[in-house]
Amino acid sequence: MLKQFFGYHLLQLGDLSSEMNLSACPIRHKIRQKTHQDAQAGLVSSAEELPYQENSLDVVVLAHELDFSRDPHQILREVDRVIIPDGHVVIIGYNPLSLANLTRFIPLKRSYLLRQARFFTAARIKDWLSLLGFDIVCDERRVFSSLLFSKAYSNNSKVQTFLQRYLSLFGSVYVIVAKKRESTLTLIKPKWRAKPKLAQVVSMLQGRQILNPTPHEPLIFNGAASDVANLLMWAFAAKFEVQWVN
């Protein structure tokens, strides 16, 4: 999926996002931002206050960062601020309709990490993204297992293929890819056109036959004039002394 992204800067935001291997992505400059310092952290900072300029990143990857955040709305607002127009954000979260959500209530492992997750629905995440001006490009379900036991299936196994094809709604995680929509304003110039006052009168007079062209008598023309022409002629009758014959 990450092979389709191009640009200059990619941000792996959060501790889980920084652990992902994104070597298949063609973007070379990858920033790993964590909340604590370790060997893999390229930058230590809070996800709610990103230390980047506006419109400076091409892709931002959020792997379960919203599930364990106290203020997911603020994180999305910061992501919207730093992503360039037509940039992408990849959000990975736990699916509340999967077995992973059910197994967290089983008292087998008290230190189970998923007990602290908030399990936002994919529809809710997409609604937040739409409010920020993002277009949903992709919405998929992956990892069909309980995430509780040590046994795991590979992505290419028959079990994963069957569940992906027929029970995709119950995948343990969802992957949402959204594109930042750029709204441009197009200036529409009004078409100003001068309307000559005597243009219609002149067009009416052309081709008419003058019956009595004496200097001090009104001119009489043949033909049926339109209502607009009659109004214009009567308005200027005192000055031009023109009379129409109906």
Side-chain angles (χ1 to χ4, degrees):
M1 180 181 296
L2 294 175
K3 295 181 180 180
Q4 61 182 346
F5 299 137
F6 297 93
Y8 298 96
H9 311 288
L10 182 145
L11 173 62
Q12 298 177 237
L13 184 58
D15 297 338
L16 297 177
S17 302
S18 300
E19 300 294 335
M20 297 177 61
N21 183 13
L22 304 181
S23 58
C25 182
I27 300 178
R28 295 184 178 181
H29 185 212
K30 301 178 180 65
I31 306 173
R32 295 183 177 183
Q33 177 177 332
K34 291 188 174 184
T35 57
H36 61 279
Q37 182 65 42
D38 60 5
Q40 296 182 351
L43 179 66
V44 178
S45 177
S46 173
E48 300 174 357
E49 296 181 0
L50 299 179
Y52 309 102
Q53 296 181 354
E54 297 182 2
N55 304 327
S56 58
L57 300 177
D58 299 278
V59 181
V60 176
V61 179
L62 296 169
H64 308 290
E65 188 68 19
L66 301 180
D67 293 321
F68 298 96
S69 174
R70 295 181 179 179
D71 193 356
H73 302 87
Q74 177 61 25
I75 295 179
L76 290 180
R77 284 192 292 266
E78 282 292 289
V79 170
D80 175 59
R81 181 183 64 85
V82 300
I83 287 184
I84 65 173
D86 296 333
H88 294 81
V89 56
V90 181
I91 298 179
I92 304 174
Y94 294 113
N95 183 16
L97 300 179
S98 63
L99 293 176
N101 188 26
L102 298 178
T103 53
R104 67 174 181 156
F105 298 104
I106 301 177
L108 296 179
K109 294 183 179 181
R110 296 184 178 181
S111 60
Y112 192 38
L113 180 62
L114 294 185
R115 294 180 183 273
Q116 304 175 6
R118 305 181 67 175
F119 279 82
F120 296 112
T121 61
R124 191 173 183 181
I125 299 298
K126 290 188 292 185
D127 183 57
W128 293 347
L129 292 173
S130 299
L131 293 176
L132 292 174
F134 284 85
D135 291 331
I136 306 302
V137 178
C138 177
D139 181 12
E140 297 181 358
R141 304 294 183 273
R142 299 294 180 90
V143 188
F144 295 90
S145 63
S146 63
L147 297 179
L148 178 63
F149 305 102
S150 58
K151 184 179 180 179
Y153 298 97
S154 63
N155 294 330
N156 298 326
S157 64
K158 295 182 179 180
V159 177
Q160 291 282 359
T161 304
F162 176 83
L163 295 175
Q164 177 70 29
R165 185 172 183 178
Y166 298 102
L167 299 174
S168 59
L169 185 62
F170 303 101
S172 298
V173 298
Y174 56 81
V175 180
I176 298 176
V177 180
K179 183 178 181 180
K180 185 176 180 180
R181 182 172 59 246
E182 181 182 8
S183 300
T184 57
L185 298 178
T186 303
L187 181 61
I188 301 177
K189 297 181 179 180
K191 296 182 179 179
W192 299 100
R193 185 174 57 183
K195 296 182 179 180
K197 297 181 180 181
L198 300 179
Q200 297 181 359
V201 178
V202 173
S203 62
M204 292 291 183
L205 297 179
Q206 291 178 355
R208 307 287 184 174
Q209 182 181 0
I210 301 177
L211 300 181
N212 50 346
T214 57
H216 301 287
E217 294 183 5
L219 301 179
I220 301 175
F221 300 90
N222 293 326
S226 62
D227 295 338
V228 178
N230 284 329
L231 293 176
L232 293 175
M233 288 302 300
W234 284 109
F236 297 95
K239 183 175 181 180
F240 293 100
E241 297 182 355
V242 177
Q243 180 179 1
W244 290 91
V245 177
N246 294 326

